[in-house]
Amino acid sequence: MKKTVKILIIAVALLFIYAPIILLFIYSFTESKTIGLWTGFSLDLYGRLFTVRQLRNMIVDTLVLALLAASLSTVLGTLGAIGIYYNKKWLGKFTKSASQIPVINAEIVTAISLALIFSFIAMGRSYGALLIGHIVLCTPFVVLSVLPKLKQLDPSLYEAALDLGATPAQALFKVVIPEILPGIFSGFMLAITLSLDDYMVTAYTKPPTMETISTYVYGAMRRPSHSYLAELRALASIIFIVMMAAVLIINVKASSKIKKEKNKNI
């Protein structure tokens, strides 16, 4: 009875979370402008994502920005996490605490601060300002993803590599980095998600002529008659499926790795 109640609670919770997404996915296969009105099966919404120039440019610009911001944030966040972990003195503790402030800070504060700084240095609303803003937003989360993997790392491995003749750089790239790769990859995926999802920082730093998914959705909701609002159902469905596939692949690989390690120990 207890097991049945637990399963029922989990099922209700999952239904509550995913019901809107499932509904959105179902109605992405019809051209109806309103969810709840089925006008027949159609893939036209998906087709227009890649044939309408405005939508295509918006998607490409968002993806390019997310990949650039995530890549640079991953490099900076990984180096920062390594520096924090191996610096046991007050500087490491201070940097660790400082890196966590943007995570708990209200995003509107970060967005306004960045906008004021870019205006002060005459950078204004430009692509460079937008990219830097996304890097500032994503890097602390990469640090939080990498630090736990560094704590799980056997500290004697790095020292052993140095004793065997490796330079500090060789020990870093051949011993430390391979061991923390899962954390680095998790941070990279998290950075991409944050960049794709961000509205506040983007709205305050982007060039006037550029649109990302978040800013376009906001504009489409304000002016539904002048925007491709229905096509956003197809776009949301694609993003959800891609993210779900990535999560499943990561979990399957992690499970297989754990099984292999158990078999070796046996």
Side-chain angles (χ1 to χ4, degrees), residues 2-94:
K2 290 182 179 180
K3 186 177 181 181
T4 305
V5 172
K6 289 180 181 179
I7 294 173
L8 184 61
I9 292 173
I10 294 172
V12 171
L14 290 175
L15 182 63
F16 180 78
I17 294 171
Y18 290 105
I21 300 174
I22 294 171
L23 190 65
L24 197 71
F25 178 74
I26 293 172
Y27 279 93
S28 69
F29 294 103
T30 183
E31 286 193 86
S32 172
K33 299 293 183 181
T34 306
I35 292 180
L37 179 63
W38 184 268
T39 59
F41 181 84
S42 174
L43 294 174
D44 288 347
L45 295 182
Y46 289 91
R48 283 200 286 272
L49 285 177
F50 306 100
T51 55
V52 176
R53 186 176 181 181
Q54 184 182 5
L55 293 174
R56 186 173 65 246
N57 290 345
M58 177 263 293
I59 294 170
V60 171
D61 288 343
T62 304
L63 291 176
V64 170
L65 174 64
L67 288 172
L68 282 174
S71 300
L72 294 173
S73 298
T74 302
V75 173
L76 290 175
T78 302
L79 294 176
I82 292 172
I84 290 170
Y85 178 72
Y86 284 104
N87 194 332
K88 304 296 184 181
K89 298 180 181 179
W90 66 268
L91 182 60
K93 295 179 180 178
F94 173 78

Side-chain angles (χ1 to χ4, degrees), residues 127-223:
Y127 192 84
L130 176 61
L131 180 59
I132 293 172
H134 277 238
I135 293 172
V136 170
L137 177 69
C138 298
T139 300
F141 290 91
V142 177
V143 173
L144 289 179
S145 297
V146 176
L147 274 177
K149 289 297 179 183
L150 284 167
K151 292 178 180 179
Q152 295 174 8
L153 180 67
D154 187 352
S156 62
L157 289 176
Y158 181 76
E159 296 172 1
L162 295 178
D163 292 339
L164 291 172
T167 63
Q170 289 175 332
L172 174 64
F173 287 102
K174 292 185 178 181
V175 177
V176 177
I177 297 295
E179 289 294 325
I180 63 173
L181 266 180
I184 295 174
F185 184 72
S186 298
F188 177 75
M189 293 300 297
L190 183 58
I192 286 182
T193 304
L194 288 168
S195 180
L196 289 174
D197 181 61
D198 177 71
Y199 173 76
M200 285 296 178
V201 172
T202 304
Y204 280 86
T205 57
K206 75 177 184 68
T209 56
M210 180 181 172
E211 290 285 358
T212 63
I213 292 174
S214 59
T215 58
Y216 184 85
V217 169
Y218 179 76
M221 295 301 295
R222 292 181 61 189
R223 302 181 299 275

